[in-house]
Every structure is written in structure tokens, then in C-alpha cells.
Amino acid sequence: MSSSRHNFSLVPIEADAGVLSWWRALCAIAVLNVGLWLAVLHLGPGSGIYAGLQLALSGVYVLVCAYRSVLPRVDLERLVVVDTRLSSIFLGRTAATVAEICFALQLGLLVHQLGVHAGLPWVQMAAWATPVFMVVAQGFCWHSVLTLNHITQAVESSLWAAGFSWMAALLGIIALDSSGWVRALAVAGILGALSFVAYVLCVDVPMYWRRYQHGRAHGQTYMRLDQGARDAWQRRVPSGHWPAWKTDALWLTPYFSFGVWVSIAMVLVPGT
């Protein structure tokens, strides 16, 4: 059913045990993540402009992920756990766009930092191509959210994979031309980036492709952008049934936990 309620409640409506446990875990992770970021702020992220930028970018990402953890949603299906105006698909997607651009900039800044330590000026410049992939991906994401077409969601995920692949390549060059903690961090980044690429190509893209094919097989019609904007702002489909969430929970959970920890960890990388 669709909803346009104006009430505010942080209690999932008729949620089964699976959804309730998952939602509570996300809320706990959100509190933990905010606490970790505040601890880094209090203890000091380090000196230099890099640390300050990483801290600010991470702060945006941490706060938005906390908001999205407390009020989880699945954009194209308009699914929400908590039925409130703050669960608006349009509002949540807007916040997510800002946060993901901040995270993408963190990744570019990280490669730039390591390039400085390794003495590779051209790598420092090439590092900024990494967030470009992810910023472009936001446009495809918005297209899918507004039109309800999963194919552009697959394109979005592919662009994230391309950005991480480029980052892994640059980190490989850094690893070959450095030593000590710089090389160790570059190698760790390569492993993390390639793991993410493998996940996207083996799980995310096939999932969105299946949803696209299912929609086409069942005669799904796609919205105009203006129609989709109104729909994303107004329509919510409250669901407390685990089968409706379990597929997306596989990526939402690590996104709001491990992804945030990576963001916070980048604040701790030494400057020059």
C-alpha cells in the first residue's frame, strides 16, 4: 500500500522478527559509527589539510548513513521500514547523493595522499578521476529512482566498479614505488577495492539486471522524470516482512557498517 502519512514514529509498523532484529542492528551500528567519528574528532585526526578534509567529508558520510540506517528504504520499490515523512525516497536519495560524493572525494583524496608520500605527481593528478566515476554514477542513480528503471541502477553500480578499479590500478603503482606503511596501505586498498568490484559485478549488477528483466516481463511502465520526482517525494510502501528486505539487506548492512568504518579510517591516514 502507498502512504503519505504526516506522523513521526520510530517504530516499524507490523514488523516481523527478522526485520525488527535487522532494523535494531542498523540502529545500533549507527550509534556506534557516530561515536567512533566523535572519538576521532576528540582524539585528533592528525595534522595538515588532508586530515581536516577527510574528517569533514567523513562526518557528512557518517551522519547520512546513520539517518539512512534508522530509516532504511529501497528506492525503486519505495519500501520503507518506518513510515514517516523523513523516510521520503526523494529526501533519502538526496542525502545519499551528498554522502556518496563525499565518500568518493575521500577515496580520491586518499590516493592523492599516498601519491604524495610515494613521490608520484602524475598519480596525484590521476587520483581525481576516481571520484569522477562515482559522481557520474549519481546521475544514473537518480534516473533509475525517478523512472523506476533498474537498468540504469545497474549502470550506476558498474560506474562505481570502474572507479574502484581505477583506484586499485593507481594503488598498484604506488605499492611498486613505495615501502613501509605506504606500501602496506596501498596493498590493503587494492585488496579492498578489488573485493568491492567483484561483489558489484557478481551480486549487485546481476540483481538489478534480474529486476529489470522481471519488470519487462510483467509489462512494467516507466515514469517521466517529473512524475517520478512527485512519486519519490510522496509515495512510501511500508513493509515489515523479511522476504521483502532480505535481498537488499545483503548490501545495505555492509554499506552502513564496513563502508562507514572505511570512511572513518581514511581520516587517520598520516598527512605530509
Side-chain angles (χ1 to χ4, degrees):
M1 71 176 180
S2 64
S3 173
S4 59
R5 300 183 183 188
H6 302 297
N7 63 298
F8 181 83
S9 172
L10 284 181
V11 179
I13 298 175
E14 299 180 356
D16 60 29
V19 170
L20 195 58
S21 297
W22 175 64
W23 177 73
R24 286 172 174 167
L26 289 184
C27 291
I29 290 171
V31 173
L32 170 65
N33 291 341
V34 172
L36 288 174
W37 187 87
L38 290 174
V40 171
L41 174 65
H42 177 70
L43 297 175
S47 60
I49 189 172
Y50 290 112
L53 286 173
Q54 288 282 18
L55 182 67
L57 294 169
S58 178
V60 174
Y61 189 71
V62 169
L63 288 176
V64 171
C65 285
Y67 155 59
R68 296 177 65 199
S69 295
V70 175
L71 302 173
R73 18 166 273 288
V74 179
D75 290 343
L76 272 67
E77 286 70 24
R78 306 301 197 240
L79 283 179
V80 299
V81 172
V82 183
D83 189 16
T84 169
R85 283 192 299 179
L86 289 179
S87 292
S88 162
I89 303 301
F90 193 95
L91 182 61
R93 186 65 249 162
T94 300
T97 299
V98 174
E100 288 175 359
I101 290 175
C102 287
F103 184 75
L105 290 173
Q106 278 194 274
L107 295 174
L109 186 59
L110 172 67
V111 177
H112 187 277
Q113 287 176 260
L114 296 180
V116 171
H117 284 289
L120 297 169
W122 73 269
V123 171
Q124 298 169 41
M125 295 297 296
W128 299 115
T130 298
V132 170
F133 284 101
M134 300 155 189
V135 171
V136 174
Q138 299 303 316
F140 286 94
C141 181
W142 270 104
H143 181 274
S144 64
V145 171
L146 299 182
T147 64
L148 304 184
N149 191 338
H150 282 97
I151 196 65
T152 41
Q153 205 163 28
V155 175
E156 178 216 355
S157 293
S158 299
L159 284 168
W160 276 89
F164 271 86
S165 297
W166 179 252
M167 184 177 74
L170 294 179
L171 289 174
I173 294 168
I174 291 171
L176 292 174
D177 277 295
S178 61
S179 60
W181 71 266
V182 175
R183 174 178 289 177
L185 187 54
V187 171
I190 293 168
L191 295 176
L194 293 181
S195 296
F196 176 79
V197 171
Y199 171 81
V200 168
L201 297 181
C202 294
V203 179
D204 267 11
V205 172
M207 176 182 69
Y208 295 134
W209 176 250
R210 287 193 301 271
R211 290 180 179 179
Y212 169 72
Q213 289 182 310
H214 181 269
R216 289 295 296 266
H218 290 77
Q220 180 176 351
T221 57
Y222 303 119
M223 294 183 177
R224 297 195 316 266
L225 295 180
D226 60 320
Q227 292 175 325
R230 288 192 295 271
D231 185 74
W233 184 261
Q234 297 173 354
R235 184 165 66 94
R236 302 186 301 275
V237 182
S239 176
H241 303 295
W242 182 241
W245 287 95
K246 64 179 181 180
T247 301
D248 289 278
L250 291 176
W251 71 266
L252 287 169
T253 306
Y255 183 109
F256 296 141
S257 55
F258 185 74
V260 176
W261 301 335
V262 170
S263 174
I264 295 173
M266 284 190 280
V267 179
L268 304 176
V269 175
T272 55

